Amino acid sequence: MSELRPVKFGVIGCGAISGAYFNATKIFPTLAIAACADLDLARAEAAAEKNGCRALSVDALLADPEIEIVINLTIPKAHFAVTKAALEAGKHVHLEKPLAVTFEEGAGLVALAREKNLRLGCAPDTFLGGGHQTCRKLIDDGAIGQPVAAMATMLSRGHETWHPAPEFYYKPGGGPMLDMGPYYLTALVNLLGPIKRLTGSTRTTFPQRTITSQPLDGAIIDVEVPTHYSGVIDFENGAIGQIVQSFDVYGVPPFSPIVIFGTEGTLAVPDPNGFGGTVKLKRGKAEWEEIALTHGFTSNSRGIGAADIAVAIQTGRAHRCSGDLACHVLEAMIGFHTASESGTHYAMQTTVGRPAALPALAQLPSDVLLS
């Protein structure tokens, strides 16, 4: 591991999430920031000055031979075009979720990366955190027996009360499923494996939203996407899942965001939008017990997926936050809407293996590189 070199990356899109990726260079020695770009040149220059890198135009960044990985942090509707341009420029890519806003676009990116023998990775990478890796180990070790069922729930009132620019959450590429669904569905695939078929119902409860946050207080948003999803998932291993994702409700009760039920016990899984959290296990008729986390990366470790790609480039192994995984999740998210409109089950066209589990904490090298 000590022989691995830092791989230089460039960031396209210097919005709020970019800080976590710039910070990743302090956590993962296989990543080194080279440059950043943004449609707002002043924002790119500010980010570059703060993080000790160059501010470039998007075209210049893609043409820079020093940059091996492009990290695409643009808004969802730009994901396809920017990622496609980066792959065509010969760059490996890791991007924020979702992979694209249509299944056809996502599948096209996977095919292009394969054709060019490039790595394509996509957030979320939170399932590599200590909370979810501990749950993965418990399931793999048989702590709950054979998985029978799962519940995954994200209930909120939406972004217009707090987000400075919430409009895109209610436009094509937004909504609770494409925004938050990647965390929950990626976590479920990591824990239970690929999805065979699904069905669901969707609704748009409020045709308009009023922004009450600054700087757009009082502005009206026309809602163009479903804002409440309820779905049923049949996994290839026989487990049945339920998922609810909503921007329409108040009063979320105190329960685990994800619960996995097995033949011998039940596992309460922490928030998939974080890296640590509390893991609880109920074996048979015994009382609930809190399980000590067996894995590292329990604090904010966003960028671990890109760091994993940097290792994979040098070792030849598969990377965990793969384009295939992101495309499978994207197809499922679109599939819920398709099923709702058609009134039928949606049979998945893609499948994917579970990403390799991380080694337990005691086995991780001191420099926190991934095996």
Side-chain angles (χ1 to χ4, degrees), residues 199-203 335-344:
T199 191
S201 295
T202 69
R203 63 176 285 170
F336 289 119
H337 197 180
T338 301
S340 179
E341 291 188 328
S342 65
T344 64

Side-chain angles (χ1 to χ4, degrees), residues 142-146 262-266 282-285:
I144 63 169
Q146 178 183 352
T263 55
E264 306 297 329
T266 300
K282 178 176 173 60
R283 302 173 194 264
K285 296 182 179 180

